Amino acid sequence: MAGLHDVNIYTNSFFSDARLKITPLKKETTYKDDNNDPSNLFAIPDFWRPSNWLGESIEEINKQNPLFSWGSDVSQDGLISAHLQDHIVPDLGSENDDAFFKLPPILKDLVAQHTQAPETDIVQDEDQPELDDAISSEEEDFWLLPNDVISTKPQYKTWESFESTKEGPTSPGFITEAGPAAFDSIIAASNNNTDDTPPDILDNSIYSACLLALALGRSSLLFAWDSAQNSFTKTAPQLRTSGITLDLIKAIDRLCLDCGNCMRHLQYYSETAYASSSSSPTRIAFAGVIARLITTVGSELSTRSRNVRSILQLQALVQPVHTVLSYFKGLVKKVATAKTDEAMLSALFQAVQAAEYKDDLLRAATNQVLRIVSRPWADFVEEWIGIKVEEGIPISKTGSGKEFVRVADKMWVDDQGFELDEPEYFLDEAKMPSFVPADMAESIFETGRNLRFLREHHPDHPLSRPDVVSLTNPPKLEWEFEWGAISKLEGRVNEYRDAVSRVLEGGSFLTGTTNTTHSDSSDRDTGELLTVFGKPEAEVASSVLASIRRLDEPLLEPPPSDNLVVLLKSHLYSPLLFTHQPSLSPHTSLLPLLSFSPLLTCQSELLSHLTTKLLFTAHSLRLHLSLLNQSFLLSSGLLVSRLSSALFDPESSTTERHKGVALGGSGSLGLRLGSTRRTWPPASSELRLALMGVLSDSLSPSVQGQLPGDLSFAIRHDLTQEEIDRCMNVDSLSALDFLRLSYTTPPPLRGVITPQILAKFDRISRLLVQILRMLHVANTLFHSFARPGEQESSSNVTLRFAIEARHFILAISSYFFDVGIAKTWRGFETWLDTVETSLHNDNIDGEVVTAISPEMLRQKQESTLDTIMSCLLLRKRQQPVMGLLEEILTLILIFARLVRVRQIDQHLGIRGEEEDEEESQQLYKKFHRKVDVFVTVLQGLSEKTPTAEGRRDENTVEMLLAKLDLEGWYGKKR
């Protein structure tokens, strides 16, 4: 910093009008190294010391090029060499009257003194006192000026000298200030002490071009692609550029090499995905995203690299590209392992969740990738729910299904008891992405089924027509990641709802047709303007010249294909500024609901409302449900009376054939089960004769015409061998199990009245027919002992058995019909009344009613039947209780047969009262014991009735206990 010391003194002399001339320090002067003194707290490093490495190299440079010499051989103004001083500086003191710029006469003496001053050294002024020689060189402080500085003499000042620097080139204090040549010489000197071969030095521009090609994934002279290692390799490992160490070069090489490898791997994935024959639309979409990502990032890097002048600048450009490519390389590695489209979408959604707190650019880019890749799945959902016209082959029951909709055969039983196959839509939950909740997936599937119902059974409905879909202008089903976009989506959904309402009212068809016609006419007029024939030659020539000028213009850059390209072009090298803070954005777990729920809910409510209304109005759903209640659940008193008479009335004319006896009689025909019938089961012709007109006469007044669903009696063909053996016994409880009601659900109602529901109706009907038989048996026993003279001839046990059996059967039948069936079905009909009212009114008592879908109707009906089966002890967990009840009813049938046989024997004069009495007593003991156990089991069931929402449910078992054992008779007996 000796030169700096001179500059400070010279600068001060400019303002003091005095010139201080100090003899420069000699080279042998030594300085005290204060940095090595630990006691010196304010030590200042010797920044003025020139580097020891600059000794010889600087002198050689000065000798070779004296123009920019750094040595002491400089002019006194410190700007140019002394060898060129005479040729450049004019003689300002010479006499030249013709000169325009010349010195005034007063300044001639000053110029003479100035030119006579020594040029090489700064001479001490005579008037300046000598410096204290006692001060040693070690104690000199170069940062302080002496107090006895004498002002220099006035100098001639000009604007040129004022604007120019007053300091000359000085010896650099640091090695980095000496330029790359000195830096390379140090590296070469340090390598001389080792056995390593010094690295080769290449021009900076050539090396930068090779690094740029490497970062872009291209081979060059210095970096080649190695297929065996699946990576780029450097052809000259020891190669570097001037001014940069080999370690730094290796670090930059690694950055560019990793960037190039990522570029190559991503490009390979994209090409193989397109070339694969098994690629799905989702995989193609993801491969397209990767291809556009590579193209955009590479284009941005190539464009900005044109202004690069150093390798460090190139490193700054490659770093953002490397960050993006390395991230997407890891994303591709995760997504590529997924075998199905839904697994790919689930993996992408997990990546979005993981990137929520990453860099803003990566977070936004991942969101855009999920939006683009989800487009094929969203398109299918839009086509399935009816907000987009189906492209290609539409999905139908004749195909194999698509995506999460599976078409398979559904098993059901016809009126003859045979199993039939019918194709039906099924929801394949395994093919639904994981980010879709189960209730949303069910809503999507049911909405599509309701739309297919409209298209199949009401093809003229506005929502069944594809051309109406475009008129309503429905919003797109896509991901939204900001609150503002979600709010706008809700507004567009409301506009779509209003448009559908106008379409259903019939007010938008003319508007859409008019717009379409006007558009077509405009296109036709434009086509006529482009024609040549019939126009003047000058106009045609001007058109041709205009076309030529248009073709001569440079090609415009195509617009970005998607938001991901726009995002990368705008913010790859600039920070991403959000209009909303990320902390105010919705959480990632809420994105599926916020993005898809508004539109899906709207479409589901619209189609559910329309479909349900058509079921009640056009397809008479209430009539069919009422018919099932009256027939299968025996809610019609007239049907119960006619059926009991046809099956059990002993006074009806028998349908059994006898030799020489003609069928018929004064009364109606019947099977006379339980009387003196000799053969069982009856033939099919007997059944037709006995049951002819029972259903039509009993249900026609309420149905008004032909019975819906072709309701009729039929033979059950799905009985097992054990069940067939029980049917063969006329005294068995299952003697009528072969008889069933046949009902065929109309096609429009199969979504509500399913084969599973009909199976439950059939199981209930089977039990109720058995209860009808037991009522007939109990009443017959009671009336047989109520006749005059029968009570005196009967024992106490027989009378008690008959009375208790009748009481037991009446209690069971009353509970089954009144509590289990009538009360439960009445609640279901009340709910149906509310639904039917809401279909005509959007709100009831000021409260908006949620749209009821056909699936909700099915679920409610099935829930009602489950409740009835639970009351009737027909659930699977109640099989032991039902088995105990069947044993009790079987004992009553055995007792009835015993009484009937005894009456026949008495009529024939055969006496066996003692045996009958003993058998009756044994049957009564068994009956009493079974009923006691049955009541105990019911008491246990009543105590285990579940509770809901902290409130105890209605316990119907307690009602049955009250009917059976109100005063605790069986408990007291026990």
Side-chain angles (χ1 to χ4, degrees):
M1 295 298 291
L4 180 61
H5 184 82
D6 296 341
V7 171
N8 291 335
I9 296 175
Y10 184 76
T11 305
N12 291 333
S13 64
F14 178 79
F15 296 99
S16 61
D17 294 333
R19 183 173 180 85
L20 178 62
K21 299 181 180 179
I22 303 176
T23 305
L25 295 175
K26 299 181 179 179
K27 292 183 179 180
E28 59 269 11
T29 304
T30 58
Y31 307 100
K32 182 179 180 181
D33 191 359
D34 294 335
N35 292 330
N36 298 329
D37 187 5
S39 63
N40 188 358
L41 301 179
F42 303 97
I44 300 176
D46 298 337
F47 290 121
W48 57 85
R49 282 189 183 182
S51 176
N52 297 329
W53 299 97
L54 298 177
E56 298 179 358
S57 60
I58 296 303
E59 293 178 358
E60 294 178 357
I61 293 174
N62 292 341
K63 294 178 180 180
Q64 296 175 0
N65 189 2
L67 179 62
F68 299 99
S69 175
W70 292 352
S72 58
D73 190 11
V74 296
S75 62
Q76 64 185 52
D77 57 359
L79 294 177
I80 58 176
S81 175
H83 299 284
L84 303 177
Q85 180 70 24
D86 298 335
H87 301 280
I88 298 177
V89 181
D91 187 4
L92 298 178
S94 61
E95 294 292 341
N96 189 1
D97 297 336
D98 298 332
F100 181 79
F101 294 100
K102 61 183 178 179
L103 292 177
I106 301 176
L107 299 179
K108 292 181 178 180
D109 297 335
L110 295 177
V111 172
Q113 295 178 4
H114 178 73
T115 54
Q116 294 175 0
E119 298 180 358
T120 56
D121 296 334
I122 301 175
V123 182
Q124 183 175 357
D125 190 49
E126 296 178 356
D127 297 335
Q128 179 182 355
E130 296 290 340
L131 297 176
D132 190 1
D133 297 335
I135 301 177
S136 62
S137 60
E138 296 181 357
E139 297 177 356
E140 287 182 328
D141 192 349
F142 296 98
W143 303 105
L144 299 177
L145 296 176
N147 295 327
D148 52 353
V149 177
I150 300 176
S151 300
T152 59
K153 293 180 180 181
Q155 297 180 359
Y156 173 67
K157 304 295 184 181
T158 61
W159 284 110
E160 290 78 5
S161 61
F162 177 77
E163 293 177 354
S164 63
T165 57
K166 299 300 181 181
E167 55 180 311
T170 59
S171 301
F174 297 96
I175 189 63
T176 55
E177 299 175 356
F183 189 79
D184 294 337
S185 63
I186 295 174
I187 296 177
S190 62
N191 289 335
N192 292 334
N193 299 328
T194 61
D195 296 334
D196 298 337
T197 303
D200 298 328
I201 299 177
L202 187 65
D203 184 72
N204 184 32
S205 59
I206 299 177
Y207 201 89
S208 298
C210 294
L211 286 178
L212 177 61
L214 175 63
L216 294 174
R218 306 167 187 168
S219 298
S220 61
L221 184 62
L222 300 180
F223 301 94
W225 176 258
D226 190 351
S227 301
Q229 299 181 5
N230 198 20
S231 173
F232 282 98
T233 57
K234 190 174 182 180
T235 57
Q238 299 297 324
L239 195 64
R240 68 176 182 86
T241 60
S242 178
I244 300 178
T245 61
L246 185 60
D247 294 336
L248 181 57
I249 283 293
K250 290 181 178 179
I252 299 176
D253 289 348
R254 285 194 299 269
L255 175 65
C256 296
L257 188 140
D258 193 13
C259 182
N261 289 338
C262 294
M263 186 79 74
R264 271 298 185 97
H265 293 161
L266 293 176
Q267 186 176 4
Y268 174 77
Y269 172 78
S270 176
E271 293 175 355
T272 53
Y274 277 104
S276 178
S277 59
S278 60
S279 295
S280 60
T282 303
R283 292 185 180 275
I284 294 299
F286 186 64
V289 168
I290 298 302
R292 292 192 295 274
L293 170 74
I294 296 172
T295 304
T296 305
V297 171
S299 176
E300 287 295 310
L301 179 58
S302 300
T303 303
R304 294 178 180 268
S305 62
R306 298 171 184 172
N307 300 325
V308 169
R309 294 296 178 266
S310 67
I311 294 180
L312 296 181
Q313 290 179 342
L314 180 63
Q315 181 187 18
L317 290 178
V318 174
Q319 185 63 49
V321 176
H322 172 261
T323 302
V324 173
L325 293 181
S326 60
Y327 173 77
F328 275 92
K329 178 184 176 182
L331 182 61
V332 167
K333 187 176 181 181
K334 294 179 182 178
V335 175
T337 56
K339 298 181 179 180
T340 58
D341 291 352
E342 58 274 8
M344 290 185 63
L345 295 178
S346 301
L348 280 177
F349 182 71
Q350 294 175 0
V352 170
Q353 289 180 314
E356 185 173 7
Y357 301 103
K358 284 185 177 293
D359 180 71
D360 292 340
L361 178 61
L362 295 181
R363 184 171 74 92
T366 310
N367 293 344
Q368 294 300 327
V369 170
L370 178 62
R371 174 180 292 176
I372 297 171
V373 178
S374 301
R375 191 67 258 164
W377 176 82
D379 288 340
F380 174 74
V381 175
E382 291 177 356
E383 295 175 0
W384 173 252
I385 65 177
I387 60 177
K388 181 182 178 182
V389 179
E390 293 188 61
E391 299 177 356
I393 301 176
I395 185 172
S396 62
K397 293 182 180 180
T398 57
S400 59
K402 186 179 180 182
E403 295 288 343
F404 52 84
V405 179
R406 178 170 53 89
V407 178
D409 292 335
K410 184 177 182 179
M411 303 294 297
W412 60 288
V413 182
D414 64 350
D415 57 348
Q416 300 297 326
F418 296 103
E419 293 183 353
L420 299 178
D421 298 338
E422 182 181 2
E424 186 58 68
Y425 298 111
F426 294 94
L427 174 62
D428 193 351
E429 298 179 355
K431 292 187 177 181
M432 188 69 73
S434 61
F435 54 79
V436 180
D439 54 347
M440 183 182 291
E442 190 68 28
S443 176
I444 293 173
F445 177 71
E446 291 302 326
T447 303
R449 287 214 322 180
N450 294 337
L451 179 63
R452 268 68 191 172
F453 170 83
L454 288 177
R455 293 178 178 177
E456 181 179 0
H457 303 289
H458 301 275
D460 295 333
H461 194 275
L463 295 185
S464 300
R465 296 169 51 183
D467 56 338
V468 179
V469 176
S470 58
L471 294 177
T472 57
N473 192 21
K476 300 287 291 183
L477 188 70
E478 59 183 2
W479 290 92
E480 301 294 348
F481 303 97
E482 300 295 335
W483 286 116
I486 294 172
S487 300
K488 293 180 181 178
L489 173 63
E490 293 177 354
R492 294 196 303 270
V493 169
N494 293 331
E495 294 176 358
Y496 167 68
R497 187 192 298 271
D498 297 338
V500 173
S501 300
R502 292 192 299 269
V503 168
L504 294 178
E505 293 174 358
S508 294
F509 290 105
L510 294 178
T511 304
T513 305
T514 303
N515 293 338
T516 305
T517 306
H518 179 71
S519 177
D520 294 340
S521 61
S522 300
D523 294 341
R524 186 166 53 252
D525 295 340
T526 304
E528 293 177 358
L529 291 175
L530 295 177
T531 58
V532 177
F533 299 102
K535 291 186 177 182
E537 183 178 356
E539 186 176 353
V540 174
S542 61
S543 300
V544 172
L545 293 176
S547 300
I548 293 175
R549 286 193 299 269
R550 183 67 181 273
L551 293 174
D552 291 339
E553 294 178 358
L555 294 177
L556 298 178
E557 184 179 358
S561 57
D562 50 46
N563 293 333
L564 178 63
V565 177
V566 176
L567 179 68
L568 293 175
K569 283 182 173 292
S570 303
H571 302 289
L572 183 62
Y573 291 102
S574 60
L576 182 62
L577 300 178
F578 287 96
T579 55
H580 301 280
Q581 295 295 331
S583 58
L584 300 179
S585 300
H587 193 267
T588 309
S589 59
L590 301 177
L591 291 179
L593 289 175
L594 297 175
S595 302
F596 305 143
S597 182
L599 182 57
L600 293 178
T601 302
C602 174
Q603 189 71 2
S604 175
E605 290 178 353
L606 288 173
L607 291 176
S608 298
H609 179 84
L610 292 174
T611 306
T612 307
K613 189 173 182 178
L614 289 174
L615 289 177
F616 278 92
T617 56
H619 303 290
S620 305
L621 177 62
R622 290 296 297 271
L623 178 62
H624 285 263
L625 294 178
S626 177
L627 178 67
L628 294 175
N629 178 34
Q630 295 180 41
S631 58
F632 283 88
L633 303 184
L634 299 181
S635 298
S636 173
L638 182 59
L639 176 62
V640 171
S641 177
R642 289 292 307 273
L643 184 61
S644 300
S645 176
L647 294 178
F648 315 116
D649 189 6
E651 297 180 359
S652 61
S653 300
T654 181
T655 58
E656 189 177 5
R657 295 182 178 275
H658 298 279
K659 292 183 179 181
V661 180
L663 294 177
S666 59
S668 59
L669 298 176
L671 297 180
R672 300 178 64 181
L673 178 63
S675 61
T676 57
R677 185 181 178 90
R678 290 175 294 182
T679 60
W680 194 261
S684 59
S685 58
E686 295 183 54
L687 289 175
R688 285 193 294 269
L689 291 173
L691 300 176
M692 183 184 301
V694 172
L695 292 174
S696 58
D697 296 342
S698 303
L699 302 178
S700 291
S702 59
V703 174
Q704 297 179 358
Q706 186 179 1
L707 295 178
D710 297 333
L711 183 65
S712 61
F713 287 103
I715 302 298
R716 196 183 304 275
H717 295 278
D718 55 347
L719 295 175
T720 62
Q721 185 61 41
E722 184 181 357
E723 292 173 341
I724 293 175
D725 295 339
R726 289 199 299 265
C727 291
M728 300 293 291
N729 186 5
V730 69
D731 296 320
S732 172
L733 182 64
S734 304
L736 288 173
D737 286 354
F738 63 88
L739 186 64
R740 61 182 290 266
L741 284 170
S742 174
Y743 172 83
T744 303
T745 307
L749 299 179
R750 287 178 184 173
V752 179
I753 306 176
T754 61
Q756 291 79 6
I757 289 179
L758 291 178
K760 293 181 179 182
F761 272 114
D762 181 69
R763 191 174 179 186
I764 295 173
S765 175
R766 188 174 181 178
L767 174 62
L768 295 182
V769 171
Q770 295 177 356
I771 297 299
L772 283 183
R773 182 187 179 190
M774 296 307 303
L775 281 173
H776 173 74
V777 171
N779 291 328
T780 302
L781 284 175
F782 180 78
H783 291 299
S784 64
F785 289 105
R787 290 195 296 266
E790 288 293 334
Q791 295 183 0
E792 290 89 4
S793 62
S794 302
S795 63
N796 187 22
V797 174
T798 304
L799 290 175
R800 184 178 295 276
F801 195 174
I803 295 173
E804 290 188 11
R806 184 172 183 268
H807 168 73
F808 181 84
I809 293 174
L810 289 177
I812 292 294
S813 61
S814 175
Y815 167 75
F816 280 178
F817 284 101
D818 297 338
V819 178
I821 296 176
K823 184 178 180 180
T824 306
W825 192 264
R826 195 180 305 116
F828 177 59
E829 287 187 338
T830 303
W831 182 81
L832 288 177
D833 293 337
T834 305
V835 171
E836 197 168 4
T837 305
S838 65
L839 294 176
H840 301 282
N841 301 323
D842 293 336
N843 58 74
I844 300 177
D845 297 334
E847 296 182 0
V848 178
V849 180
T850 304
I852 303 299
S853 64
E855 179 63 18
M856 295 178 66
L857 289 174
R858 184 198 65 79
Q859 293 178 358
K860 185 65 176 180
Q861 183 183 10
E862 191 169 6
S863 175
T864 301
L865 293 177
D866 290 339
T867 303
I868 293 176
M869 293 179 66
S870 179
C871 294
L872 271 57
L873 306 177
L874 290 176
R875 304 301 295 271
K876 186 176 182 180
R877 63 175 181 273
Q878 297 172 329
Q879 286 183 355
V881 185
M882 177 55 66
L884 186 58
L885 177 60
E886 290 177 352
E887 293 179 2
I888 295 173
L889 299 179
T890 301
L891 290 175
I892 296 175
L893 289 176
I894 295 175
F895 174 70
R897 185 182 62 82
L898 180 62
V899 171
R900 186 173 62 252
V901 172
R902 189 185 66 178
Q903 291 176 353
I904 294 175
D905 292 343
Q906 289 178 356
H907 181 72
L908 297 177
I910 302 174
R911 296 291 180 178
E913 296 181 359
E914 297 181 358
E915 296 179 0
D916 295 341
E917 183 68 21
E918 183 179 358
E919 188 175 358
S920 299
Q921 188 172 4
Q922 294 295 330
L923 287 175
Y924 178 71
K925 289 181 180 180
K926 291 182 180 180
F927 170 78
H928 200 282
R929 187 166 55 251
K930 293 291 184 181
V931 173
D932 190 8
V933 175
F934 183 71
V935 171
T936 304
V937 172
L938 292 180
Q939 291 175 351
L941 290 177
S942 65
E943 295 174 358
K944 295 180 179 180
T945 302
T947 58
E949 299 181 359
R951 184 180 62 185
R952 191 175 181 83
D953 292 340
E954 185 178 11
N955 195 342
T956 58
V957 180
E958 292 180 353
M959 299 181 184
L960 178 58
L961 284 173
K963 291 178 178 292
L964 285 176
D965 193 19
L966 180 61
E967 299 180 356
W969 161 255
Y970 294 100
K972 293 178 181 178
K973 187 71 176 177
R974 185 169 62 250

